[in-house]
């Protein structure tokens, strides 16, 4: 059974960059069994009511400006999966989670920038899901756990965001990451590896430099969504962490992997 993942999508230019993180993503995809479908909670699709993408052929959304022309020429022509979208709706409704089918939404860069690297052939159906950063952190975990059963059907569940994501703190001349960004990520790692939900739900009061790292929550909540989707296997493993521009965290967490048999 596939684990769930939290993956940083960095800047939109991630799709055309070559560095340690993009190399890692390519290797990761080659090591995983090919999924039957991919479900992505994207930080760049915010909604008050949980949305479930159901477009037959979701368009590639260029929800950014000021980047190189090459980025706007990328398309990610993966198909959707209406049966999967409807199944997700039934899972949410079974847990009392209000939700809506959206057959118009395409794939924003929180989805396609990652998938363009992981699965460049775009031959796996993709269902995007929205996030609501105004919900309590506990609720994000509950929403994630509602779709955990999808993994039994070889569906890859991804939360796409970024743990340290403060565009005002970026320093394009930086060679090393800022210490405060690393301290926040290290605190987060300790809580994830011990599955300390109480601390994670109260991260704003407990984590060092939480306000600097998470000025808005939409990029962090996919972490709790992916974590919830690991149930009942509460294991977390950091697979990669690096930084761009001093503070932009590029991390990948795996949740729910089975222990290796010795």
């Amino acid at each position: 059974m596939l684990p769930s993942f939290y993956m940083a999508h960095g800047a939109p230019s991630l799709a055309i960059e070559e560095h340690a993180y993009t190399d890692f993503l390519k290797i990761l995809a080659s090591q995983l069994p090919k999924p039957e479908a991919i479900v992505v909670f994207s930080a760049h699709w915010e909604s008050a009511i949980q949305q479930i993408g159901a477009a037959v052929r979701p368009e590639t959304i260029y929800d950014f400006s000021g980047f190189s022309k090459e980025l706007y020429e990328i398309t990610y022509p993966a198909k959707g999966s209406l049966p999967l979208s409807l199944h997700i709706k039934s899972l949410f409704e079974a847990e009392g989670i209000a939700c809506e089918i959206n057959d118009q939404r395409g794939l924003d860069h929180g989805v396609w920038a990652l998938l363009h690297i992981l699965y460049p052939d775009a031959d796996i159906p993709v269902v995007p899901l929205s996030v609501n950063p105004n919900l309590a952190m506990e609720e994000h975990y509950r929403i994630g756990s509602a779709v955990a059963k999808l993994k039994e059907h070889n569906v890859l569940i991804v939360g796409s965001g970024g743990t340290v994501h403060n565009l005002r703190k970026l320093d394009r001349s930086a060679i090393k990451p800022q210490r405060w960004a690393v301290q926040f990520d290290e605190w987060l790692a300790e809580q994830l590896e011990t599955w300390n939900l109480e601390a994670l739900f109260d991260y704003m009061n407990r984590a060092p430099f939480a306000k600097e790292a998470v000025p808005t929550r939409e990029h962090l909540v996919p972490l709790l969504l992916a974590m919830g989707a690991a149930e009942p296997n509460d294991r977390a493993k950091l697979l990669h962490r690096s930084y761009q521009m001093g503070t932009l965290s590029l991390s990948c967490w795996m949740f729910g992997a089975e222990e290796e048999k010795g």
Side-chain angles (χ1 to χ4, degrees):
M1 185 165 59
L2 285 168
S4 57
F5 292 89
Y6 174 75
M7 299 181 182
H9 58 249
S13 54
L14 182 78
I16 57 174
E17 293 170 357
E18 294 186 6
H19 45 62
Y21 183 53
T22 58
D23 289 345
F24 157 77
L25 290 174
K26 293 172 186 176
I27 294 171
L28 176 65
S30 71
Q31 293 175 339
L32 292 173
K34 187 174 180 178
E36 294 295 321
I38 305 170
V39 169
V40 184
F41 288 96
S42 175
H44 288 279
W45 187 9
E46 297 183 44
S47 65
I49 297 176
Q50 179 66 56
Q51 299 288 301
I52 306 163
V56 176
R57 291 186 176 275
E59 65 177 358
T60 304
I61 302 174
Y62 306 100
D63 51 336
F64 49 82
S65 61
F67 288 86
S68 67
K69 180 182 177 181
E70 183 181 357
L71 266 184
Y72 301 92
E73 295 173 345
I74 293 176
T75 60
Y76 195 78
K79 296 179 181 178
S81 173
L82 181 57
L84 177 57
S85 300
L86 293 173
H87 182 48
I88 293 171
K89 185 174 187 289
S90 70
L91 292 175
F92 283 145
E93 290 175 341
E95 297 300 323
I97 297 167
C99 59
E100 296 175 346
I101 291 288
N102 186 321
D103 62 3
Q104 300 298 312
R105 177 74 180 190
L107 305 179
D108 59 60
H109 81 270
V111 180
W112 65 259
L114 282 172
L115 297 187
H116 177 71
I117 299 169
L118 290 162
Y119 301 105
D121 293 336
D123 57 350
I124 304 170
V126 178
V127 172
L129 299 177
S130 68
V131 302
N132 180 358
N134 296 318
L135 295 176
M137 298 303 282
E138 294 91 334
E139 188 67 7
H140 295 294
Y141 188 91
R142 187 170 81 92
I143 291 170
S145 65
V147 298
K149 291 181 179 179
L150 294 176
K151 297 179 307 204
E152 298 173 5
H153 303 285
N154 198 32
V155 174
L156 177 63
I157 302 172
V158 176
S160 173
T163 54
V164 181
H165 189 272
N166 188 333
L167 301 184
R168 295 186 177 184
K169 297 288 187 179
L170 298 181
D171 179 0
R172 297 183 184 278
S173 65
I175 298 175
K176 296 182 179 180
Q178 292 290 323
R179 183 59 189 158
W180 64 264
V182 175
Q183 284 183 289
F184 176 81
D185 269 341
E186 289 178 343
W187 179 91
L188 200 62
E190 182 179 350
Q191 314 318 314
L192 291 169
E193 289 168 351
T194 58
W195 215 262
N196 189 348
L197 295 178
E198 180 181 353
L200 288 166
F201 293 161
D202 191 34
Y203 78 93
M204 188 55 73
N205 295 313
R206 302 193 188 194
F209 305 104
K211 291 182 180 179
E212 290 84 356
V214 190
T216 56
R217 298 200 306 173
E218 75 286 341
H219 277 73
L220 185 66
V221 295
L223 175 67
L224 273 296
L225 291 159
M227 194 180 186
E231 288 194 346
N233 193 339
D234 55 352
R235 296 187 184 92
K237 183 177 181 180
L238 179 63
L239 301 184
H240 179 91
R241 186 170 70 208
S242 55
Y243 297 86
Q244 289 181 313
M245 295 175 280
T247 64
L248 187 63
S249 178
L250 298 177
S251 58
C252 178
W253 282 90
M254 178 174 67
F255 299 110
E258 297 289 342
E259 288 185 336
E260 295 182 3
K261 306 298 182 183

